Amino acid sequence: MKKMVLGWMLIALPLHAMEPEKIQRAKVPSPPWAQGDERGMANQIGPATYQRCAWHMAQPDARVYELSQPRSATMPLSPFAGPYAPKPKATAAIPGTAHAFNSEQMNENAEPGQQGTQMDALGHFGYLREPWDGKSPFPAESVLYYGGFTQKDVKPTPESPLLKLGIEKIPPIITSAVLLDARAYKKKAMDAGELVTSQDIQAMLKAQGLAQRGVLPGDVVYIRTGWGERWQDPDGEKAYYSKAPGLSYDAAQWLAQRRIVAISLDTPFIDTVPEGMLAGKAAPAAGTPAALPFAVHHHLLAQAGIHLIENARLDELAADRVWTSCTLVLPLLEKGAAGSALRPVAIGVPAKLPPRAPRKAAGK
């Protein structure tokens, strides 16, 4: 009897929803990409990734999870971007009509594409062959970008939008996603300066029952560090953007080798930022290459062609243990922009389903 009850419990408990192996093995395009490519690893988006997505969306208990933070003038703001202060306009009307309408306007120097939950275009980061000393004029004409594009190709004048590698070159990202719960793995919210390493990623895959599936080409990888718990609106402490945990350089290399399309954390930088680093009072995280304090940005954007999504809201997804899902990531088609405000979603089956109401006996 005990065995029967245990067996029933195992059958009744919801198993983690994961794509069938046949769908996992569906082939995606692989590099090298054509000369002049501006999509990077997003070239893998297509029929195979759509199949993975469709499987998750077709599950009867699938739910939609919002992965973006609500945007407002009082949310935490990036120190690298201008103020973000949308101003409501007075209700207006059209003469001779019965219409009334409302709208907002943005403040001067606003950078909405770099605030809140946002996505970086490949042209967001470039690099120099030699470090700039900060004293001589900045050699902008020598900057190089993903795919070997030069500054003349991408941004020939200070006033020019991105002529190459802008946010509008990213296709709609419709693919499978993996959520890795570093907060649960480390048994606490991660502190500023802490690293999620490649060893951590492999250990989390194993702990979450994903070792056999692994990270597939074309996946989006979400990593919850627990830093997102510090997001508050209004932002009274002004600490969220001053430091953070993040991805190690070796983890960025490991993920790039697996050809993910995008990486997203519940942090403002993706890179690890120890306390004091932004003020020049502390060194970058251990293992960071010399002269590349934002080495993860450098490697993923400028070398591997992998997009970054910052300030994701992952607590609800983690609470329901939705380790794999379909994710939809749709940046705005802002021509020549280096980033975009974003509202990503995940569609997956929670491992903890709410209890169903007891069925009434026949005749009652």
Side-chain angles (χ1 to χ4, degrees), residues 319-358:
D320 283 355
R321 294 187 293 160
V322 183
W323 303 143
T324 60
S325 63
C326 165
T327 193
L328 306 178
V329 180
L330 307 174
L332 299 176
L333 291 176
E334 293 279 359
K335 191 172 182 180
S340 172
L342 202 64
R343 186 185 179 184
V345 299
I347 305 169
V349 179
K352 292 181 178 179
L353 296 176
R356 299 182 185 276

Side-chain angles (χ1 to χ4, degrees), residues 113-330:
Q114 297 297 328
Q115 300 282 20
T117 303
Q118 54 89 208
M119 186 175 192
D120 290 336
L122 296 184
H124 178 53
F125 249 56
Y127 61 98
L128 297 166
R129 296 189 187 278
E130 298 292 334
W132 174 49
D133 61 14
K135 299 175 182 178
S136 58
F138 174 61
E141 68 283 354
S142 301
V143 176
L144 298 171
Y145 294 87
Y146 168 78
F149 288 113
T150 66
Q151 184 75 0
K152 185 178 179 180
D153 299 322
V154 177
K155 191 175 173 67
T157 67
E159 299 77 22
S160 171
L162 301 186
L163 304 184
K164 299 285 186 181
L165 306 174
I167 202 77
E168 81 279 10
K169 302 300 174 62
I170 305 172
I173 294 177
I174 304 170
T175 188
S176 49
V178 172
L179 170 67
L180 300 176
D181 194 349
R183 191 196 193 289
Y185 170 67
K186 294 177 179 289
K187 298 181 172 59
K188 67 176 185 65
M190 294 177 64
D191 295 322
E194 279 196 83
L195 294 164
V196 176
T197 66
S198 61
Q199 187 175 358
D200 290 333
I201 291 174
Q202 293 171 75
M204 286 187 282
L205 287 169
K206 184 177 180 180
Q208 294 176 207
L210 299 172
Q212 184 172 351
R213 180 195 186 278
V215 174
L216 301 176
D219 274 347
V220 170
V221 174
Y222 293 105
I223 300 180
R224 177 194 182 222
T225 68
W227 193 257
E229 297 168 16
R230 296 171 181 252
W231 180 280
Q232 55 180 329
D233 189 354
D235 181 23
E237 296 182 359
K238 306 295 182 186
Y240 177 85
Y241 261 105
S242 65
K243 55 192 175 182
L247 206 62
S248 71
Y249 183 59
D250 83 290
Q253 293 174 305
W254 190 91
L255 290 168
Q257 289 168 3
R258 278 142 189 87
R259 295 175 17 217
I260 65 169
V261 170
I263 175 70
S264 177
L265 274 68
D266 58 344
T267 67
F269 307 113
I270 306 297
D271 285 87
T272 302
V273 174
E275 185 167 10
M277 175 182 147
L278 296 183
K281 298 178 181 179
T288 302
L292 292 173
F294 289 93
V296 172
H297 268 69
H298 168 77
H299 186 71
L300 295 182
L301 290 174
Q303 304 297 310
I306 293 171
H307 293 90
L308 310 182
I309 301 169
E310 297 168 348
N311 301 315
R313 185 161 63 97
L314 303 175
D315 287 349
E316 187 180 3
L317 200 65
D320 283 355
R321 294 187 293 160
V322 183
W323 303 143
T324 60
S325 63
C326 165
T327 193
L328 306 178
V329 180
L330 307 174

Side-chain angles (χ1 to χ4, degrees), residues 45-70:
I45 300 299
T49 67
Y50 300 159
Q51 286 183 56
R52 296 183 210 161
C53 244
W55 185 87
H56 287 283
M57 290 193 289
Q59 301 311 300
D61 291 309
R63 295 180 181 177
V64 177
Y65 294 84
E66 293 278 1
L67 305 184
S68 62
Q69 298 284 5

